[in-house]
Amino acid sequence: MDELRVDHLSFTVQEGVSILHGVSFLVEAGTFGVLVGPSGAGKTTTLNLIAGFQRAAAGNVTLGGTSMNDVPPERRDIAMVFENYVLYPHKTVRQNLEFPLRSPNRQQDLSRAEIAERIDQVASTLRVEKLMERFPSQLSGGQRQRVSLGRALVRRPRLLLLDEPISHLDAKLRHEMRTELRRIQRDLGVTTLYATPDQADALALADWAIVLEGGRVLQAGPPRQLYLTPAHLRVAQMLGDPKISIMPGVVGPSSGLTVLGKRYDLDAPADAEQESRPVLVGVRPGAVEVRVAPDDSADGTVVLHQYLGYGTALHVDVRGIMVRALVEGRSPVKVDDKVSVTLETGGLLLFDPDTGSLIAHQEVTPWHG
Ligand code: ADP
Ligand code: MG
């Protein structure tokens, strides 16, 4: 098993435009890394540089302790699966799986028995054994995707790169494939880097998530750590559904926080600030309490009510700021209701309004002064 190390990768296109600005991260041997970021963040570019399909302006890619910089792509032993999977339409599933093992630039020569054994193993891991004699046109979208993954895996690569492999599948299939991918990766123990714009993929799949935006790594770590203590406002906004609410607030003096027109006490002031300073307050939907209130004490109006099964998401317009709440069960609150909005005791994030960096992760209690 091989560890993937990416050090200060930069990439510039002809016109001198920088696409990646010193991207660094590590995916430990045999683990599942997820590169998550919006469209245009530089995910595909990063994968292409790792695979060797494009050349970096600067930086290093190291696989299992060996620098890949001077290794041509076909010798890197890296497999990449794209969103638009390519299967040979006139070959059966078995022939499609065989092909990578027979191609002329293979280093090692495998016997017929070895080839058959590898194909059987991959077919069983991917659960396509019963489809071996079919042609791609006779497969569903999910089955085709499994076979294209199989084509990458029969070679037993040292590293598996997946570029949005399930984005085009419908929601139900996407959910199934997400679970399957994780199982397959565990079964095979292959070091994997998976690129996706979908935050749910990152939270559900990653041993280690790398948040990329504008060609820069904003933060990397276990998904839970990124969710609970995002280093940057953008990380907080990217992870979680319903999304975190961000609202302007003022901290201080004497460890008070004023947000949405109410005052709260911070449990552990970062420093005993005498001056008040503006902050951006991030609150996860589970920590927002919404109650129907008489007009004169209401903070805002409910604009959206989404029943999610496990709970209800309420979107409240508080004087132009959108506050999202997640309440258990089926909320009696309706669209157009006038409501009070209170931040419950619990996790609350304070960000620097100029840089977006996390200032503090705080517990708050409503102030009864
Ligand atoms: P992602 O996969 O995260 O959506 P990409 O790596 O495909 O992002 O692209 C990152 C940015 O780099 C995009 O703005 C894209 O338009 C630009 N880009 C990528 N490759 C080239 C290229 N060869 N020439 C010009 N711009 C490029
Ligand atoms: Mg891409």
Side-chain angles (χ1 to χ4, degrees):
M1 282 195 285
D2 297 284
E3 170 194 273
L4 168 68
R5 182 183 284 277
V6 171
D7 280 317
H8 299 96
L9 270 194
S10 297
F11 183 71
T12 309
V13 287
Q14 282 88 340
E15 308 78 47
V17 180
S18 268
I19 306 286
L20 299 183
H21 314 267
V23 167
S24 300
F25 59 86
L26 183 86
V27 181
E28 281 182 25
T31 67
F32 201 115
V34 174
L35 194 57
V36 61
S39 170
K43 303 182 294 296
T44 298
T45 306
T46 303
L47 297 191
N48 282 336
L49 294 176
I50 294 170
F53 300 146
Q54 288 176 305
R55 257 196 110 72
N60 283 300
V61 172
T62 315
L63 187 59
T66 311
S67 169
M68 291 289 116
N69 286 17
D70 298 319
V71 181
E74 66 277 9
R75 300 246 177 127
R76 291 190 182 190
D77 237 343
I78 296 174
M80 189 153 162
V81 178
F82 304 90
E83 176 176 6
N84 300 315
Y85 40 76
V86 275
L87 293 178
Y88 294 103
H90 303 300
K91 290 185 194 289
T92 62
V93 168
R94 180 182 303 282
Q95 290 164 339
N96 265 285
L97 292 175
E98 257 170 16
F99 191 78
L101 297 178
R102 295 192 187 279
S103 65
N105 57 13
R106 287 285 310 163
Q107 300 301 298
Q108 76 229 70
D109 276 324
L110 296 172
S111 71
R112 292 181 74 88
E114 284 167 322
I115 289 177
E117 189 203 317
R118 283 207 189 182
I119 290 174
D120 286 348
Q121 191 221 351
V122 161
S124 121
T125 305
L126 293 167
R127 300 187 177 144
V128 295
E129 310 101 306
K130 296 202 171 67
L131 309 172
M132 299 302 270
E133 305 317 319
R134 289 202 198 172
F135 289 93
S137 63
Q138 299 167 311
L139 302 174
S140 72
Q143 289 167 339
R144 275 201 288 268
Q145 187 58 310
R146 276 163 207 262
V147 176
S148 62
L149 192 59
R151 278 172 52 91
L153 292 172
V154 283
R155 286 171 40 206
R156 298 201 181 145
R158 299 166 72 189
L159 175 68
L160 178 62
L161 300 175
L162 301 167
D163 195 6
E164 302 194 29
I166 60 174
S167 293
H168 64 287
L169 301 176
D170 65 55
K172 180 173 171 287
L173 210 50
R174 199 157 64 229
H175 189 79
E176 272 174 33
M177 272 307 284
R178 189 185 280 148
T179 318
E180 280 289 273
L181 273 175
R182 189 64 240 226
R183 177 189 62 77
I184 292 162
Q185 189 274 336
R186 280 220 182 91
D187 284 359
L188 299 175
V190 58
T191 309
T192 299
L193 181 61
Y194 176 104
T196 178
D198 184 350
Q199 59 92 31
D201 284 346
L203 294 181
L205 285 170
D207 292 311
W208 194 258
I210 303 118
V211 181
L212 192 70
E213 188 172 67
R216 289 188 169 83
V217 174
L218 293 180
Q219 192 176 6
R224 189 180 151 76
Q225 182 191 329
L226 270 50
Y227 180 82
L228 293 176
T229 51
H232 195 274
L233 184 63
R234 291 293 303 138
V235 177
Q237 289 175 311
M238 235 182 270
L239 302 179
D241 182 37
K243 276 168 72 140
I244 195 168
S245 307
I246 304 291
M247 43 207 128
V250 174
V251 169
S254 59
S255 68
L257 168 70
T258 307
V259 59
L260 300 178
K262 289 181 185 167
R263 159 118 194 207
Y264 299 85
D265 281 333
L266 297 174
D267 69 334
D271 40 42
E273 288 177 74
Q274 296 308 304
E275 311 250 314
S276 45
R277 65 177 288 195
V279 291
L280 287 174
V281 182
V283 185
R284 294 284 178 194
V288 177
E289 191 179 87
V290 173
R291 283 175 192 277
V292 177
D295 273 10
D296 57 348
S297 64
D299 299 308
T301 308
V302 176
V303 294
L304 188 65
H305 175 290
Q306 285 175 301
Y307 181 57
L308 302 170
Y310 56 89
T312 305
L314 299 171
H315 297 232
V316 184
D317 182 345
V318 181
R319 292 182 291 278
I321 297 162
M322 200 55 70
V323 182
R324 286 168 284 267
L326 182 64
V327 298
E328 266 180 48
R330 202 174 159 74
S331 169
V333 178
K334 302 184 300 295
V335 169
D336 290 337
D337 278 355
K338 299 278 184 283
V339 291
S340 71
V341 173
T342 317
L343 309 186
E344 286 179 0
T345 306
L348 178 149
L349 302 162
L350 302 180
F351 297 97
D352 185 313
D354 297 322
T355 63
S357 303
L358 185 70
I359 303 167
H361 177 244
Q362 287 278 5
E363 300 286 318
V364 292
T365 42
W367 187 64
H368 303 287

